[in-house]
Amino acid sequence: MSFESDQAATKEALRLGAPTWFGIGAWGLVVGIAMIKAGLSLPQAFGMTFIVFGGSAQLASLPLIGAHAPVWVIFATALAVNLRFVIFSAILAPHFSHLPWRSRAWLGFLTGDVAVGLFIQRFPDLKDMKGKLAFLKGLIFPNWAAWQIGSVIGILLGSQVPASWGLGVAGTLAILCVMLPLIINRAALAGVVVAGVVALLCFHFPYKLGLLLAVILGMATAMLLEEHMLKSKKIPDGSEQA
């Protein structure tokens, strides 16, 4: 599809992205509260939400920070959790390779899971279609704003929420709300199962390293099975081998 103008592309992006804003804000709220409950000060929490801008990485890092884990463990865990953004960047890069690197850098920083999914649905190939940049901006700016508004509210309310409310459970539910829609095939399901089993078996590893191992093995399982499934589709009965 193509757009007559950037304004039309922006309006379409806003229309498609609007249903996700509340969920993104709610997740940001949970992460904001979790940061305060993990012992971060207000400046530290605000710095984390504006600089990191990654809920899964933040939630994975908080228990490590609370346990006084080495900095390299915290960074390695956050990197492993957010490795999917390397794939997202590889998907989007050909569409915006003509832009200066500074523009691509801040666009990449603001682009999240939902924006990538909606963008690829609208622009599945590299044809020269008008409105690509405007469409992406129409997705990522409201997404970023919804997250930050929810996170800031959570940070400010964090000191007022009793610990008995079970924020750990709330954070887990927030992650599940994001994860479950992403289980779109057997490969993704297998990756989740492997990661869950490994995380349980390695629960007592020091510095929460079991979580890092679970993420790596889960991703490896999903990638290997996905590759196998693709090969099976290309050669369903061996008749096309040659």
Side-chain angles (χ1 to χ4, degrees):
M1 66 177 290
S2 61
F3 296 103
E4 294 295 329
S5 67
D6 287 348
Q7 185 177 12
T10 301
K11 287 182 179 179
E12 177 67 5
L14 293 174
R15 183 186 69 81
L16 292 174
T20 70
W21 297 343
F22 179 80
I24 291 170
W27 189 25
L29 177 70
V30 170
V31 175
I33 295 174
M35 286 191 288
I36 295 299
K37 290 303 180 182
L40 271 62
S41 65
L42 286 178
Q44 289 172 335
F46 283 127
M48 191 177 212
T49 192
F50 286 116
I51 295 174
V52 178
F53 186 44
S56 54
Q58 289 173 249
L59 288 178
S61 300
L62 289 176
L64 299 176
I65 294 173
H68 304 289
V71 174
W72 72 267
V73 174
I74 298 173
F75 273 93
T77 301
L79 178 63
V81 170
N82 276 353
L83 278 177
R84 67 189 185 281
F85 287 102
V86 177
I87 301 175
F88 294 162
S89 297
I91 293 173
L92 294 180
H95 294 273
F96 302 103
S97 58
H98 62 284
L99 297 176
W101 72 266
R102 287 183 181 141
S103 298
R104 283 179 279 141
W106 69 259
L107 285 171
F109 174 74
L110 294 177
T111 301
D113 306 66
V114 174
V116 173
L118 294 176
F119 182 88
I120 295 303
Q121 286 180 13
R122 278 290 177 263
F123 300 101
D125 51 47
L126 299 178
K127 292 181 181 178
D128 185 19
M129 303 180 190
K130 294 180 180 180
K132 281 186 177 182
L133 182 57
F135 186 83
L136 182 65
K137 290 180 178 179
L139 293 173
I140 63 177
F141 289 154
N143 186 322
W144 183 88
W147 171 267
Q148 299 300 350
I149 290 172
S151 186
V152 168
I153 293 174
I155 291 170
L156 296 177
L157 292 179
S159 60
Q160 308 299 320
V161 177
S164 60
W165 283 22
L167 294 177
V169 175
T172 301
L173 292 176
I175 290 293
L176 287 174
C177 290
V178 176
M179 180 190 71
L180 291 177
L182 299 178
I183 304 177
I184 57 176
N185 56 30
R186 289 179 295 170
L189 179 59
V192 170
V193 171
V194 170
V197 172
V198 173
L200 289 174
L201 294 176
C202 304
F203 179 77
H204 296 291
F205 277 30
Y207 304 125
K208 304 291 184 180
L209 289 175
L211 177 61
L212 177 59
L213 180 62
V215 170
I216 294 173
L217 293 180
M219 291 181 61
T221 300
M223 293 173 64
L224 290 173
L225 187 54
E226 180 74 20
E227 183 178 358
H228 175 72
M229 291 169 61
L230 289 175
K231 289 181 178 178
S232 298
K233 288 181 180 179
K234 291 180 181 178
I235 312 175
D237 55 7
S239 59
E240 297 183 19
Q241 292 180 351

